[in-house]
Amino acid sequence: MIKIAPSILSADFSRLGFDVETADKGGADYIHVDVMDGHFVPNMTIGPLVVKALRKITSKPLDTHLMITDPEKYIPRFAEAGSDILTVHIETCPDIMHTIRLIKSLNVKVGLTLNPATPFDSLLPALSEIDLLLIMTVQPGFGAQSFMFDQLPKIERAKNEKLKYGYKYEIEVDGGINSDTISNAYSAGGEVMVAGNAVFGKGSIGENIRILKEKA
Protein backbone atom coordinates (compact mmCIF):
# COMPACT_ATOMS: atom_id res chain seq x y z
CA MET A 1 0.00 0.00 0.00
CA ILE A 2 1.05 3.57 -0.63
CA LYS A 3 2.48 5.51 2.31
CA ILE A 4 2.07 9.21 2.99
CA ALA A 5 4.83 11.25 4.63
CA PRO A 6 3.47 14.71 5.48
CA SER A 7 6.19 17.34 5.22
CA ILE A 8 6.24 19.62 8.24
CA LEU A 9 7.76 22.34 6.04
CA SER A 10 4.16 23.20 5.12
CA ALA A 11 2.71 22.88 8.63
CA ASP A 12 1.76 25.84 10.81
CA PHE A 13 4.87 26.30 12.96
CA SER A 14 2.90 28.25 15.55
CA ARG A 15 1.14 24.95 16.32
CA LEU A 16 3.56 22.41 14.94
CA GLY A 17 2.96 19.83 17.65
CA PHE A 18 -0.79 19.91 17.06
CA ASP A 19 -0.42 19.58 13.29
CA VAL A 20 1.97 16.62 13.61
CA GLU A 21 -0.24 14.86 16.15
CA THR A 22 -3.25 15.41 13.87
CA ALA A 23 -1.36 14.00 10.88
CA ASP A 24 -0.26 11.03 12.97
CA LYS A 25 -3.81 10.23 14.05
CA GLY A 26 -5.11 11.02 10.56
CA GLY A 27 -3.23 8.24 8.79
CA ALA A 28 0.30 9.53 8.17
CA ASP A 29 2.80 6.71 7.76
CA TYR A 30 5.96 8.80 8.21
CA ILE A 31 6.60 12.36 9.35
CA HIS A 32 8.92 14.05 6.85
CA VAL A 33 11.33 16.60 8.30
CA ASP A 34 13.06 18.90 5.80
CA VAL A 35 16.38 20.21 7.12
CA MET A 36 17.92 23.06 5.11
CA ASP A 37 21.09 25.00 5.84
CA GLY A 38 20.88 28.05 3.56
CA HIS A 39 24.03 26.81 1.80
CA PHE A 40 23.32 23.61 -0.12
CA VAL A 41 19.82 24.99 -0.72
CA PRO A 42 18.82 28.67 -0.54
CA ASN A 43 16.61 28.40 2.52
CA MET A 44 16.98 27.61 6.22
CA THR A 45 14.67 25.52 8.37
CA ILE A 46 15.11 23.46 11.52
CA GLY A 47 17.68 21.54 13.52
CA PRO A 48 17.97 18.56 15.88
CA LEU A 49 16.03 20.27 18.68
CA VAL A 50 12.84 20.23 16.61
CA VAL A 51 13.36 16.55 15.77
CA LYS A 52 13.82 15.85 19.48
CA ALA A 53 10.57 17.66 20.27
CA LEU A 54 8.67 15.79 17.55
CA ARG A 55 9.97 12.47 18.85
CA LYS A 56 8.02 13.10 22.05
CA ILE A 57 4.67 13.50 20.31
CA THR A 58 4.65 10.85 17.59
CA SER A 59 5.62 7.21 17.32
CA LYS A 60 5.58 7.36 13.52
CA PRO A 61 8.97 7.13 11.80
CA LEU A 62 10.72 10.49 11.59
CA ASP A 63 11.94 10.71 8.01
CA THR A 64 14.66 13.38 8.16
CA HIS A 65 15.85 14.80 4.84
CA LEU A 66 19.23 16.52 5.19
CA MET A 67 19.52 19.17 2.49
CA ILE A 68 22.77 20.39 3.98
CA THR A 69 26.46 20.69 3.21
CA ASP A 70 28.79 18.40 5.22
CA PRO A 71 25.99 16.17 6.54
CA GLU A 72 28.44 13.92 8.39
CA LYS A 73 29.02 16.70 10.94
CA TYR A 74 25.35 16.63 11.92
CA ILE A 75 24.24 13.04 11.33
CA PRO A 76 25.05 11.92 14.91
CA ARG A 77 23.03 14.82 16.35
CA PHE A 78 19.97 14.08 14.23
CA ALA A 79 20.25 10.39 15.06
CA GLU A 80 20.46 11.14 18.77
CA ALA A 81 17.46 13.47 18.48
CA GLY A 82 15.29 10.57 17.33
CA SER A 83 15.38 10.34 13.54
CA ASP A 84 14.41 6.92 12.21
CA ILE A 85 15.60 7.59 8.65
CA LEU A 86 18.37 9.98 7.62
CA THR A 87 18.41 10.88 3.94
CA VAL A 88 21.48 12.57 2.47
CA HIS A 89 22.14 14.02 -0.98
CA ILE A 90 24.66 12.27 -3.18
CA GLU A 91 25.95 15.73 -4.17
CA THR A 92 27.07 16.49 -0.58
CA CYS A 93 28.88 13.21 0.13
CA PRO A 94 32.35 12.85 -1.44
CA ASP A 95 32.58 9.32 -0.02
CA ILE A 96 28.98 8.08 0.01
CA MET A 97 29.86 4.64 1.35
CA HIS A 98 31.56 6.21 4.36
CA THR A 99 28.45 8.30 5.02
CA ILE A 100 26.22 5.24 4.72
CA ARG A 101 28.38 3.31 7.20
CA LEU A 102 28.19 6.23 9.63
CA ILE A 103 24.39 6.32 9.52
CA LYS A 104 24.14 2.55 9.92
CA SER A 105 26.51 2.61 12.90
CA LEU A 106 23.96 4.81 14.69
CA ASN A 107 21.15 2.26 14.16
CA VAL A 108 19.28 4.58 11.79
CA LYS A 109 17.93 3.69 8.37
CA VAL A 110 19.77 5.14 5.39
CA GLY A 111 18.12 7.27 2.73
CA LEU A 112 19.80 8.61 -0.39
CA THR A 113 18.63 11.24 -2.85
CA LEU A 114 19.78 13.46 -5.69
CA ASN A 115 18.81 16.75 -7.28
CA PRO A 116 16.73 16.62 -10.47
CA ALA A 117 19.73 17.51 -12.64
CA THR A 118 22.00 14.82 -11.14
CA PRO A 119 22.19 11.62 -13.20
CA PHE A 120 20.62 8.53 -11.65
CA ASP A 121 23.77 6.53 -12.40
CA SER A 122 25.62 8.39 -9.65
CA LEU A 123 23.55 6.39 -7.13
CA LEU A 124 24.23 2.94 -8.55
CA PRO A 125 27.17 1.92 -6.31
CA ALA A 126 25.10 2.57 -3.18
CA LEU A 127 21.71 1.09 -4.06
CA SER A 128 22.36 -2.24 -2.38
CA GLU A 129 23.20 -0.50 0.92
CA ILE A 130 20.26 1.84 1.45
CA ASP A 131 16.79 1.57 2.97
CA LEU A 132 15.13 4.45 1.13
CA LEU A 133 15.69 6.04 -2.28
CA LEU A 134 14.22 9.52 -2.54
CA ILE A 135 13.45 10.92 -5.99
CA MET A 136 13.07 14.70 -5.98
CA THR A 137 10.33 15.97 -8.28
CA VAL A 138 11.09 19.63 -7.53
CA GLN A 139 14.26 21.60 -6.96
CA PRO A 140 15.06 21.15 -3.26
CA GLY A 141 14.88 24.16 -0.99
CA PHE A 142 11.33 25.46 -1.09
CA GLY A 143 7.82 24.15 -0.66
CA ALA A 144 4.79 24.68 -2.93
CA GLN A 145 6.58 23.95 -6.22
CA SER A 146 5.01 22.24 -9.21
CA PHE A 147 5.64 18.55 -9.88
CA MET A 148 8.39 17.96 -12.46
CA PHE A 149 6.96 15.32 -14.77
CA ASP A 150 10.34 14.92 -16.47
CA GLN A 151 11.52 13.13 -13.29
CA LEU A 152 9.07 10.25 -13.76
CA PRO A 153 11.69 8.21 -15.67
CA LYS A 154 13.92 8.34 -12.57
CA ILE A 155 11.13 6.86 -10.48
CA GLU A 156 10.67 4.14 -13.07
CA ARG A 157 14.42 3.50 -13.13
CA ALA A 158 14.43 3.20 -9.33
CA LYS A 159 11.65 0.61 -9.55
CA ASN A 160 13.35 -1.33 -12.33
CA GLU A 161 16.70 -1.45 -10.51
CA LYS A 162 14.94 -2.62 -7.35
CA LEU A 163 13.11 -5.40 -9.14
CA LYS A 164 16.08 -6.47 -11.25
CA TYR A 165 18.55 -6.81 -8.38
CA GLY A 166 16.26 -7.47 -5.44
CA TYR A 167 17.16 -4.28 -3.61
CA LYS A 168 15.24 -3.56 -0.41
CA TYR A 169 14.90 0.23 -0.52
CA GLU A 170 11.55 1.99 -0.48
CA ILE A 171 11.02 4.47 -3.29
CA GLU A 172 10.02 7.87 -1.93
CA VAL A 173 8.88 10.81 -4.06
CA ASP A 174 9.16 14.39 -2.85
CA GLY A 175 7.89 17.53 -4.53
CA GLY A 176 4.59 18.75 -5.94
CA ILE A 177 2.65 15.73 -4.71
CA ASN A 178 -1.09 16.43 -4.57
CA SER A 179 -4.36 14.78 -5.54
CA ASP A 180 -3.64 15.48 -9.22
CA THR A 181 -0.06 14.20 -9.38
CA ILE A 182 0.08 11.38 -6.85
CA SER A 183 -1.25 8.79 -9.30
CA ASN A 184 1.57 9.62 -11.74
CA ALA A 185 4.22 9.12 -9.09
CA TYR A 186 2.56 5.96 -7.80
CA SER A 187 2.14 4.43 -11.26
CA ALA A 188 5.82 5.08 -12.00
CA GLY A 189 6.85 3.13 -8.91
CA GLY A 190 6.70 5.52 -5.97
CA GLU A 191 5.83 3.89 -2.65
CA VAL A 192 6.18 6.71 -0.10
CA MET A 193 4.81 10.13 -1.03
CA VAL A 194 6.03 13.29 0.65
CA ALA A 195 3.22 15.84 0.69
CA GLY A 196 3.28 19.29 2.24
CA ASN A 197 0.60 21.71 1.09
CA ALA A 198 -1.63 18.83 0.03
CA VAL A 199 -1.78 17.74 3.69
CA PHE A 200 -1.36 20.92 5.71
CA GLY A 201 -2.57 23.59 3.27
CA LYS A 202 -6.35 23.69 3.61
CA GLY A 203 -9.11 21.70 5.24
CA SER A 204 -8.84 18.65 7.45
CA ILE A 205 -5.37 17.15 7.71
CA GLY A 206 -6.74 13.64 8.17
CA GLU A 207 -9.16 14.01 5.28
CA ASN A 208 -6.39 15.32 3.05
CA ILE A 209 -4.28 12.25 3.81
CA ARG A 210 -7.24 9.99 3.07
CA ILE A 211 -7.85 11.71 -0.27
CA LEU A 212 -4.22 11.34 -1.31
CA LYS A 213 -4.26 7.62 -0.61
CA GLU A 214 -7.55 7.27 -2.47
CA LYS A 215 -6.29 9.21 -5.51
CA ALA A 216 -3.18 7.07 -5.86
Side-chain angles (χ1 to χ4, degrees), residues 34-96:
D34 286 307
V35 178
M36 307 178 189
D37 62 359
H39 186 261
F40 177 61
V41 294
N43 200 357
M44 297 179 69
T45 54
I46 64 174
L49 287 177
V50 174
V51 174
K52 186 176 181 179
L54 293 177
R55 181 74 290 160
K56 297 177 182 178
I57 62 173
T58 180
S59 61
K60 298 294 174 65
L62 293 178
D63 171 25
T64 304
H65 179 187
L66 299 179
M67 290 173 271
I68 61 177
T69 304
D70 298 324
E72 290 190 4
K73 292 182 180 179
Y74 303 97
I75 283 169
R77 293 173 62 189
F78 280 102
E80 184 180 1
S83 297
D84 296 284
I85 308 167
L86 284 172
T87 298
V88 296
H89 275 257
I90 190 75
E91 299 91 352
T92 68
C93 300
D95 185 346
I96 187 58

Side-chain angles (χ1 to χ4, degrees), residues 66-191:
L66 299 179
M67 290 173 271
I68 61 177
T69 304
D70 298 324
E72 290 190 4
K73 292 182 180 179
Y74 303 97
I75 283 169
R77 293 173 62 189
F78 280 102
E80 184 180 1
S83 297
D84 296 284
I85 308 167
L86 284 172
T87 298
V88 296
H89 275 257
I90 190 75
E91 299 91 352
T92 68
C93 300
D95 185 346
I96 187 58
M97 300 310 294
H98 182 271
T99 304
I100 288 172
R101 287 193 295 270
L102 172 61
I103 296 173
K104 287 185 174 183
S105 74
L106 299 167
N107 295 315
V108 176
K109 290 185 176 181
V110 180
L112 185 58
T113 188
L114 72 175
N115 287 343
T118 303
F120 187 92
D121 283 0
S122 64
L123 301 174
L124 293 178
L127 292 183
S128 64
E129 301 297 325
I130 62 176
D131 302 292
L132 183 141
L133 176 56
L134 172 57
I135 304 298
M136 296 297 302
T137 45
V138 296
Q139 297 294 340
F142 296 95
Q145 297 182 62
S146 297
F147 185 87
M148 297 174 66
F149 287 89
D150 62 356
Q151 296 303 301
L152 287 173
K154 277 187 181 175
I155 303 173
E156 294 170 349
R157 176 81 182 276
K159 178 181 70 174
N160 291 337
E161 294 286 336
K162 179 178 179 177
L163 293 174
K164 183 176 180 180
Y165 296 105
Y167 295 144
K168 303 300 182 183
Y169 56 75
E170 288 187 294
I171 301 169
E172 185 173 60
V173 182
D174 183 1
I177 294 295
N178 55 43
S179 59
D180 295 321
T181 60
I182 193 167
S183 62
N184 299 97
Y186 184 60
S187 296
E191 298 165 310

Side-chain angles (χ1 to χ4, degrees), residues 2 4 179 182-183 186 207-216:
I2 193 168
I4 302 296
S179 59
I182 193 167
S183 62
Y186 184 60
E207 179 68 6
N208 291 340
I209 293 172
R210 185 194 67 78
I211 290 171
L212 287 172
K213 291 186 177 184
E214 183 181 87
K215 292 290 186 179

